[in-house]
């Protein structure tokens, strides 16, 4: 009998795990269970709409989904439609690949004011995630503060300042494109607690900020260190030196060169969001870096803005019926092993770091662990049990062919040059299937 494996979630970590399992010599059947009708997790809802090439990996994942031993069950939420203990009773192994889709709180007063969003919320909104479609952020603002110094912060800044022409060949939904393009926004402040040498963005993303049609980067020369110092790997040193060279090129760009500006502000930590009901400014404390950490200096300044996006990291919500490490924001696990027959991969295992490919080793390891722990397995109802339960509970699961129909409709509806026009509600997606 085949080993039955259920994978919860359908982001990169899920597909890498499924791929490793079906490419092993063992006889296994893998069922990928996703709460939305559409697969791919943050590839669809995280990766920036103007970075379409990054999403090409979806093609490889579609091949995995089409494998004869893999089934996709979209529109099925574990913890709602089916309990995790029920799933574990049905399958020899269950793999948690549910990601880290929630915002980390900044932890400062005023964070609850209108116009303050975490990047998970804001990025999901402009990427057409059905849960965030009705966010309606007020973009009738001149200044925006983006907290954070990583690629997500850069993504948010860039999407807000690009021209309609620069966004034409993207799948940015109209409900986001319209207010972004109508916004009187002139200045985005990307503020990091530490300096350019500690910033986490990759060089391609940083350099792109120097080549935008309508927006010029601004940096104060005094904030730039002379060199990259300290102990680090050669790889890190090369990356930091490249970034430092890039930000040096930004010094001297004139503020009125273009109608919009992205200000790179370093060595400043937010201490309070100011305003009435709505955010009006952010108060910062200047910092310096000691032993790699930002230390407050007791000097303060304010930046006026009507919108704040905190791109300071993602976290996971606890998974019901599973031990959770609150501090780490991950499922408690021993290198992926959670409990007998229960495994974790990707961001729910490691926390929110790394690129798409960083999840591949997790998938490979989980497959090895499952095969080593369970041997040939078998005996549990697996897929037939799942399908019986879904039908008994009248859950309308979307299989991979169903998803491909939805995807084909999105491609057919796309404006010229754009890859797709996303359906932004579950009802619209299901309507394609009749
Ligand atoms: C804003 C942003 C931009 C990024 N851009 C890039 C980039 O340009 N290049 C790059 O290489 N990497 C990028 N990354 C990183 C990359 O997206 C992640 O490394 C990767 O998506 C993590 O994979 P995952 O499978 O662990 O989680 P996810 O991709 O988050 O997938 C989790 C899936 O689980 C599903 N799920 C959750 N709960 C349940 C449940 N109860 N039942 C069923 N399904 C459930 C979710 O709907 C989701 O589909 C970006 C990340 C972010 C946040």
């Amino acid at each position: 009998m085949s080993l039955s494996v259920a994978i919860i979630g359908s982001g990169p970590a899920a597909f890498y795990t499924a791929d490793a399992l079906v490419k092993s010599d063992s006889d296994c059947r893998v069922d990928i269970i996703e709460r939305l009708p559409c697969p791919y997790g943050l590839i669809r809802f995280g990766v920036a709409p103007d970075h379409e090439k990054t999403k090409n990996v979806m093609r490889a994942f579609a091949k995995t989904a089409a494998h004869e031993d893999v089934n996709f069950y979209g529109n099925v939420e574990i913890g709602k439609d089916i309990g995790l203990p029920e799933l574990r009773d049905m399958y020899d192994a269950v793999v948690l690949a549910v990601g880290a889709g929630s915002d980390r709180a900044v932890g400062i007063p005023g964070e609850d004011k209108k116009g303050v969003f975490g990047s998970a919320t804001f990025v999901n909104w402009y990427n057409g995630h059905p849960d965030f479609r009705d966010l309606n952020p007020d973009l009738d603002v001149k200044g925006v503060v983006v907290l954070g110094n990583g690629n997500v912060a850069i993504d948010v800044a860039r999407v807000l300042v690009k021209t309609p022409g620069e966004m034409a060949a993207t799948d940015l939904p109209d409900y986001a494109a319209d207010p972004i393009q109508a916004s009187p926004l002139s200045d985005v402040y990307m503020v990091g607690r530490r300096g350019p040498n500690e910033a986490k963005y990759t060089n391609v993303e940083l350099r792109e900020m120097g080549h935008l049609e309508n927006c010029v980067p601004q940096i104060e020369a005094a904030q730039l260190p002379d060199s990259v110092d300290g102990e680090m790997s050669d790889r890190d040193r090369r990356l930091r030196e490249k970034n430092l060279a890039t930000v040096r090129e930004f010094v001297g760009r004139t503020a009125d060169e273009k109608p919009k500006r992205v200000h790179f502000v370093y060595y400043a930590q937010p201490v309070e969001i100011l305003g009435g009901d709505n955010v009006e400014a952010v108060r910062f404390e200047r910092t310096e870096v000691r032993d790699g950490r930002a230390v407050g200096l007791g000097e303060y300044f304010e930046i006026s803005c009507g919108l704040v996006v905190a791109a300071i990291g993602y976290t996971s919500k606890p998974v019901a019926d599973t031990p959770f490490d609150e501090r780490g924001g991950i499922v408690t696990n021993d290198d992926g092993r959670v409990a007998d027959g229960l495994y974790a991969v990707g961001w729910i295992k490691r926390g929110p770091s790394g690129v798409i490919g960083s999840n591949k080793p997790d998938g490979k390891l989980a497959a090895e662990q499952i095969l080593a722990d369970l041997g040939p397995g078998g005996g549990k109802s697996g897929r037939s049990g799942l399908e019986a339960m879904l039908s008994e509970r009248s859950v309308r699961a979307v299989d991979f062919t169903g998803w491909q129909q939805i995807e084909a409709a999105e491609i057919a509806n796309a404006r010229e040059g754009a890859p797709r026009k996303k359906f932004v509600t579950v009802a619209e997606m299901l309507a394609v299937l009749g």
Side-chain angles (χ1 to χ4, degrees):
M1 248 186 117
S2 344
L3 187 71
S4 59
V5 182
I7 303 178
I8 311 174
S10 68
F15 277 103
Y16 287 129
T17 308
D19 189 55
L21 282 165
V22 294
K23 281 190 179 151
S24 73
D25 297 333
S26 307
D27 178 14
C28 6
R29 291 171 113 193
V30 181
D31 293 336
I32 298 177
I33 304 172
E34 165 61 50
R35 64 182 283 265
L36 292 170
C38 47
Y40 309 134
L42 285 170
I43 296 180
R44 182 174 167 102
F45 297 118
V47 172
D50 57 335
H51 284 179
E52 182 61 29
K53 275 196 193 141
T54 307
K55 304 183 195 182
N56 283 345
V57 66
M58 293 191 301
R59 291 188 205 143
F61 293 160
K63 279 192 191 149
T64 301
H67 190 284
E68 57 181 353
D69 291 326
V70 177
N71 267 15
F72 175 74
Y73 296 87
N75 202 33
V76 179
E77 182 167 343
I78 300 305
K80 187 174 143 233
D81 299 311
I82 293 180
L84 181 61
E86 291 176 319
L87 201 66
R88 291 181 66 190
D89 282 347
M90 283 188 279
Y91 283 82
D92 296 315
V94 172
V95 181
L96 300 166
V98 294
S102 305
D103 282 306
R104 259 184 51 204
V106 190
I108 57 173
E111 204 174 341
D112 52 349
K113 290 192 191 303
K114 271 194 218 144
V116 182
F117 301 98
S119 57
T121 301
F122 198 75
V123 171
N124 271 319
W125 169 71
Y126 69 55
N127 272 330
H129 192 297
D131 292 356
F132 298 86
R133 190 243 168 280
D134 296 321
L135 190 72
N136 291 325
D138 181 1
L139 298 184
D140 188 11
V141 298
K142 290 210 150 136
V144 174
V145 165
V146 180
L147 301 173
N149 250 345
N151 279 341
V152 177
I154 289 205
D155 282 352
V156 170
R158 196 183 63 246
V159 167
L160 284 173
V161 298
K162 272 196 166 180
T163 61
E166 285 172 307
M167 294 305 278
T170 76
D171 58 9
L172 183 70
D174 292 343
Y175 73 74
D178 292 345
I180 290 175
Q181 284 152 18
S183 169
L185 174 64
S186 59
D187 293 89
V188 177
Y189 299 83
M190 263 184 54
V191 189
R193 288 187 306 154
R194 299 183 294 165
N197 281 349
E198 290 80 22
K200 293 267 193 285
Y201 27 66
T202 41
N203 192 249
V204 180
E205 274 71 19
L206 183 61
R207 262 187 293 141
E208 197 180 348
M209 299 307 281
H211 302 288
L212 300 178
E213 205 174 297
N214 243 356
C215 181
V216 61
Q218 297 284 284
I219 287 189
E220 276 181 36
Q223 293 218 300
L224 300 191
D226 296 330
S227 56
V228 174
D229 300 320
E231 292 279 304
M232 66 194 79
S233 67
D234 289 349
R235 191 176 164 276
D236 277 354
R237 188 176 304 281
R238 274 198 305 276
L239 169 68
R240 288 176 184 204
E241 282 174 347
K242 267 189 178 174
N243 280 354
L244 188 54
T246 304
V247 285
R248 276 204 192 109
E249 285 169 20
F250 292 170
V251 175
R253 298 284 298 263
T254 43
D256 56 2
E257 188 186 312
K258 299 190 176 175
K260 299 183 190 199
R261 289 156 293 278
V262 170
H263 305 258
F264 288 78
V265 182
Y266 299 103
Y267 306 109
Q269 58 190 6
V271 290
E272 189 174 357
I273 311 271
L274 307 172
D277 285 350
N278 295 305
V279 51
E280 288 167 24
V282 184
R283 186 169 157 79
F284 290 95
E285 179 180 17
R286 291 197 197 281
T287 63
E288 67 178 20
V289 177
R290 285 186 214 148
D291 297 329
R293 298 180 72 92
V295 181
L297 296 176
E299 292 164 35
Y300 298 88
F301 66 100
E302 289 171 17
I303 298 178
S304 297
C305 62
L307 176 76
V308 175
V309 181
I312 56 158
Y314 285 55
T315 188
S316 305
K317 287 200 188 115
V319 178
D321 305 299
T322 314
F324 194 74
D325 170 355
E326 292 283 349
R327 269 194 67 205
I330 52 173
V331 154
T332 308
N333 70 90
D334 179 8
D335 204 9
R337 286 189 172 94
V338 179
D340 279 352
L342 185 63
Y343 303 82
V345 290
W347 279 16
I348 186 70
K349 166 190 172 183
R350 289 180 284 112
S353 67
V355 291
I356 294 165
S358 318
N359 301 291
K360 194 168 185 178
D362 286 356
K364 186 168 170 284
L365 179 65
E368 285 165 6
Q369 289 170 336
I370 291 169
L371 300 175
D373 293 351
L374 302 172
K380 291 205 179 181
S381 62
R383 189 171 293 171
S384 60
L386 174 72
E387 291 191 353
M389 193 174 276
L390 291 172
S391 132
E392 191 185 296
R393 296 183 183 176
S394 307
V395 179
R396 184 177 179 189
V398 173
D399 62 14
F400 205 72
T401 311
W403 155 246
Q404 286 174 315
Q405 276 173 260
I406 297 171
E407 187 181 36
E410 289 191 336
I411 294 169
N413 291 345
R415 62 175 172 266
E416 200 171 335
R420 67 190 71 76
K421 182 175 160 89
K422 282 178 181 169
F423 292 113
V424 293
T425 66
V426 169
E428 284 172 45
M429 293 184 206
L430 297 181
V432 174
L433 308 177

